[in-house]
Amino acid sequence: STQNTNQNKKLQEYTSLASTQYYLMISQSEYLVQVYRRDGQNWLYNYYTQLKESIDLPFFPASLSMSDIYENVILNLPEALK
């Protein structure tokens, strides 16, 4: 899809910058945050899907909670996933 193409292009562009330490993609349709973290010359990937989870960003140092990211966001999820 166009969205995937745009996301992949932006991922390549941002991760090619030496100053980029993290690249986060936050879904608008589900509880999903995808995190790419620089580890030297490599990139590590993690994803988060639970509101009780916290995303650590040790380079800054800081963390983001999923509940803060999705605060006041209304998703059309099946009742079982809420």
Side-chain angles (χ1 to χ4, degrees), residues 37-60:
R37 179 176 60 89
R38 183 182 298 278
D39 183 27
Q41 296 296 317
N42 300 312
W43 286 89
L44 303 176
Y45 172 79
N46 287 306
Y47 66 93
Y48 302 83
T49 59
Q50 303 295 314
L51 289 179
K52 63 184 176 190
E53 292 181 286
S54 184
I55 301 165
D56 291 325
L57 306 170
F59 178 80
F60 291 121

Side-chain angles (χ1 to χ4, degrees), residues 14 17-23 36-39 43 59-60:
Y14 281 108
L17 300 172
S19 61
T20 302
Q21 295 299 312
Y22 301 98
Y23 184 79
Y36 293 84
R37 179 176 60 89
R38 183 182 298 278
D39 183 27
W43 286 89
F59 178 80
F60 291 121

Side-chain angles (χ1 to χ4, degrees), residues 12-40:
Q12 289 175 338
E13 290 172 357
Y14 281 108
T15 57
S16 69
L17 300 172
S19 61
T20 302
Q21 295 299 312
Y22 301 98
Y23 184 79
L24 281 69
M25 291 190 290
I26 301 171
S27 174
Q28 297 177 17
S29 60
E30 61 183 318
Y31 296 128
L32 173 63
V33 176
Q34 299 176 77
V35 179
Y36 293 84
R37 179 176 60 89
R38 183 182 298 278
D39 183 27

